[in-house]
Amino acid sequence: MTQPDPAELADALLAGDRRGLARAITLVESTRDSDRAHAARLLDLLAERSASSTIRIGLTGTPGVGKSTLIESLGMHLLGLGHRVAVLAVDPTSSRNRGSILGDKTRMPTLSADDRAFIRPSPSGGSLGGVARRTGAVRDLCEAAGYDIVLIETVGVGQSEGAVAELVDAFCLLVAPGGGDELQGVKRGVLELADLVCVNKADGPTAQLAVGTAADYRGALHLVRPKWTGRPTTVLTASALERSGVTELWDALLAHLDALGPDVVGRQRGDQAVTAFDAEVRERLLGLALSGVDTERLAELGADVRSGDRS
């Protein structure tokens, strides 16, 4: 198989070629050394393209909260406003067979059928934080291809979701109606990272419960140090099923970014870029260290550990 030419891929991306975007993403997600070199060259070629007009939003929540349905409703709303939307949906990788379902396109049938939207499911590969190893690079490729809104749907909820906050301009926590014990199940670390909390499924018999849950979260957030000094975290309700509250959700996200201002958002992106660089350096150094390991001796030591002959 011939290696893709980085310059040709860059031209295809800048022209908005969806097939070229898919090929570029496959390239940057590859773990082969030769592909890594080509991917680095491609990203360097695209580095001069300004992404200042793009908006990056992270959305996370427990399984079953309705992330995919809400993202589809939000995506369709954004398309109606004239935006082009990329959705990076990360599926958890099985710890047993290393496989992933990658079924997000089936959960967003209307959005995935629109040419103005691009949905890319990727396996998390066991990475912490609910994001795949190269999600940041894939985000950059989508922006270069002309998608001005990038939505990153992440795996689960946990304190490691700090990895998500290092990829986006605003971070939205989605929760289901229900307070009390369910509220206790959300880790404080996630609330501290959230720029906005949205109680989904505010419809039918759970409509009033959603209102109560929103009030519970507003109360809980008073006990948490705000992410931004002088700016409390916004809490609202929405129904992905009825597509109600979606406009308000987007307006709240825009209001948050407007309040921060372009200078703060720019500094935040700069900090995120340095964090990504540090992570890449650590990964490369670990790879170099392991490349010189005697794998047979390592297997022997592992067998000794398994049998209890070695600690």
Side-chain angles (χ1 to χ4, degrees), residues 175-180 183 197-199 207-222 233-237:
V175 296
L183 179 58
V197 175
C198 177
V199 183
Q208 289 301 315
L209 184 58
V211 174
T213 301
D216 290 341
Y217 273 90
R218 291 188 187 99
L221 285 164
H222 284 299
T233 302
T234 301
V235 181
L236 46 76
T237 62

Side-chain angles (χ1 to χ4, degrees), residues 25-33 35-36 39 43 88 90-91 93 98 122-139 155 163 167 275-277 279-284 286:
I25 292 175
T26 300
L27 177 66
V28 302
E29 288 182 341
S30 174
T31 57
R32 296 173 55 186
D33 289 340
D35 286 343
R36 281 185 170 184
L43 293 170
L88 308 183
V90 186
D91 266 10
T93 297
R98 311 307 299 166
S122 299
S124 65
S127 298
L128 292 178
V131 295
R133 182 181 62 87
R134 302 293 285 170
T135 300
V138 174
R139 174 207 61 202
V155 179
L167 295 171
T275 299
F277 170 75
E280 186 74 15
V281 169
R282 286 194 296 272
E283 181 181 331
R284 294 295 182 91
L286 178 61

Side-chain angles (χ1 to χ4, degrees), residues 54-66:
T54 64
I55 298 177
R56 307 165 177 174
I57 305 295
L59 299 102
T60 192
T62 55
V65 76

Side-chain angles (χ1 to χ4, degrees), residues 9-81:
L9 273 183
D11 290 340
L13 277 176
L14 297 177
D17 183 351
R18 290 168 63 92
R19 185 178 179 184
L21 174 58
R23 291 179 61 207
I25 292 175
T26 300
L27 177 66
V28 302
E29 288 182 341
S30 174
T31 57
R32 296 173 55 186
D33 289 340
S34 58
D35 286 343
R36 281 185 170 184
H38 283 76
R41 176 59 179 158
L42 171 63
L43 293 170
D44 283 344
L45 289 172
L46 298 171
E48 295 181 359
R49 182 180 175 90
S50 173
S52 60
S53 60
T54 64
I55 298 177
R56 307 165 177 174
I57 305 295
L59 299 102
T60 192
T62 55
V65 76
K67 292 190 297 293
S68 296
T69 307
L70 183 63
I71 287 174
E72 178 170 59
S73 296
L74 177 59
M76 295 306 297
H77 172 67
L78 294 173
L79 294 183
L81 296 177

Side-chain angles (χ1 to χ4, degrees), residues 132-151:
R133 182 181 62 87
R134 302 293 285 170
T135 300
V138 174
R139 174 207 61 202
D140 294 344
L141 294 177
C142 290
E143 291 177 347
Y147 294 93
D148 59 329
I149 307 290
V150 180
L151 307 177

